[in-house]
Amino acid sequence: MSTKLFDLSGKVALITGGVHGLGMAMAKGLAHAGATIVVNDLSSNAIDNAIAEYKAEGIEAHGYVFNVTDESQVKEGVKKIESEVGPIDILINNAGIIKRTPIIDMEVEDFAAVINVDLISPFIVSKTVVKGMIERGGGKIINICSMMSELGRDSVSAYAAAKGGLKMLTKNMATEWAKYNIQTNGIGPGYFATSQTAPIRVNGHPFNDFIISRTPAARWGDPEDLQGTAIFLASKASDFVNGHVVYVDGGILATIGKPSNE
Ligand code: GCO
Ligand code: CA
């Protein structure tokens, strides 16, 4: 049985904001590897729809309404999850937002809102969940980073600041918690076909062509492309892997790119 390196049977995984897109795809991957899936969102409607979508794939997911940026709601939510579903073995800090506005036009409140969801909430949820992981002798934390953990792009300053910060928070969590057999790592998705990128993925839109030519694999990622890395970082297979961000990007970070006429 010790050879079942990627088996997640008996594990409970909380995927914050796992009600659509990349979070849902990763959650489905963990479920197919045996994990029990818990998701949260601000809206009970979004949760109901997600639970139905999981069910259609044969997955009995559990949903909880709470706001990841509010520490008392997070404490309450985690307590409920752990008494009703079971102790959380795997945490994926996935909930995130983006605002695309040039720096000089951006309001401080909008910048702060992005930092709050994309950087401060992983801090809040992790510090809440990790206490139980320490008591139980281990756990897995996966922070969802971004190309913007490494690169800038016009109009996404707050997102880049948050995701760059999340990469360093990942290293600091690894530093503080590796000794408790808790592995903290990140996944940095490249450009994926999700609702978040829908406005910039339109056929003929210059950004669409740009991404395809900028990506050595020459395509947008399919959310399912993240499943293998999520399972790896959630499983025994990664028990001595600490503080890394695995970029699942079709090679974007490997290359400087090429002239647009090639
Ligand atoms: C953008 C995109 C990105 C992606 C992703 C890249 O506007 O450039 O939305 O920020 O969402 O995080 O890794
Ligand atoms: Ca268990």
Side-chain angles (χ1 to χ4, degrees):
M1 288 296 112
S2 62
T3 56
K4 288 189 155 183
L5 284 174
F6 298 94
D7 184 12
L8 301 179
S9 304
K11 304 290 185 189
V12 172
L14 168 61
I15 299 91
T16 65
V19 295
H20 59 215
L22 302 185
M24 177 176 267
M26 288 184 282
K28 286 177 178 175
L30 300 194
H32 292 313
T36 299
I37 300 306
V38 186
V39 298
N40 89 295
D41 195 82
L42 288 174
S43 131
S44 59
N45 210 34
I47 287 177
D48 292 344
N49 292 337
I51 300 292
E53 200 177 328
Y54 282 112
K55 200 166 223 144
E57 266 206 39
I59 299 163
E60 297 288 335
H62 305 259
Y64 289 81
V65 177
F66 61 90
N67 182 344
V68 288
T69 68
D70 179 326
E71 187 171 19
S72 63
Q73 285 193 34
V74 169
K75 280 184 176 161
E76 199 57 33
V78 167
K79 205 168 150 194
K80 254 181 137 180
I81 292 166
E82 298 207 318
S83 73
E84 294 174 6
V85 184
I88 297 167
D89 303 291
I90 300 157
L91 166 64
I92 303 190
N93 285 307
N94 164 75
I97 60 170
I98 189 166
K99 290 184 193 284
R100 299 185 181 95
T101 313
I103 296 171
I104 53 171
D105 298 327
M106 193 163 199
E107 301 296 339
V108 173
E109 301 76 65
D110 287 332
F111 191 93
V114 173
I115 299 291
N116 212 18
V117 179
D118 294 0
L119 179 57
I120 298 182
S121 84
F123 161 79
I124 294 175
V125 181
S126 300
K127 83 187 272 256
T128 305
V129 169
V130 82
K131 288 170 187 145
M133 289 179 170
I134 292 171
E135 282 167 21
R136 294 186 297 274
K140 300 280 183 178
I141 299 176
I142 303 171
N143 293 323
I144 302 308
C145 298
S146 164
M147 291 294 93
M148 270 77 243
S149 297
E150 298 291 338
L151 300 170
R153 186 173 96 67
D154 281 355
S155 83
V156 295
S157 61
Y159 188 80
K163 295 297 190 176
L166 187 56
K167 173 184 70 176
M168 288 312 301
L169 182 60
T170 301
K171 295 187 187 197
N172 225 86
M173 288 175 174
T175 302
E176 295 191 22
W177 300 334
K179 61 176 171 292
Y180 302 117
N181 187 34
I182 294 161
Q183 291 79 45
T184 310
N185 291 284
I187 295 178
Y191 279 84
F192 278 73
T194 65
S195 60
Q196 181 177 276
T197 55
I200 53 179
R201 204 168 9 91
V202 189
N203 233 328
H205 190 297
F207 197 81
N208 185 56
D209 299 339
F210 165 66
I211 286 303
I212 291 169
S213 68
R214 181 67 181 78
T215 305
R219 64 172 177 87
W220 288 83
D222 178 321
E224 295 192 355
D225 289 326
L226 288 176
Q227 291 178 335
T229 306
I231 293 167
F232 167 61
L233 293 178
S235 68
K236 205 175 152 35
S238 60
D239 274 0
F240 201 52
V241 180
N242 300 86
H244 290 282
V245 178
V246 180
Y247 292 101
V248 183
D249 67 351
I252 291 174
L253 292 179
T255 186
I256 193 171
K258 59 186 176 187
S260 57
N261 60 348
E262 274 175 39

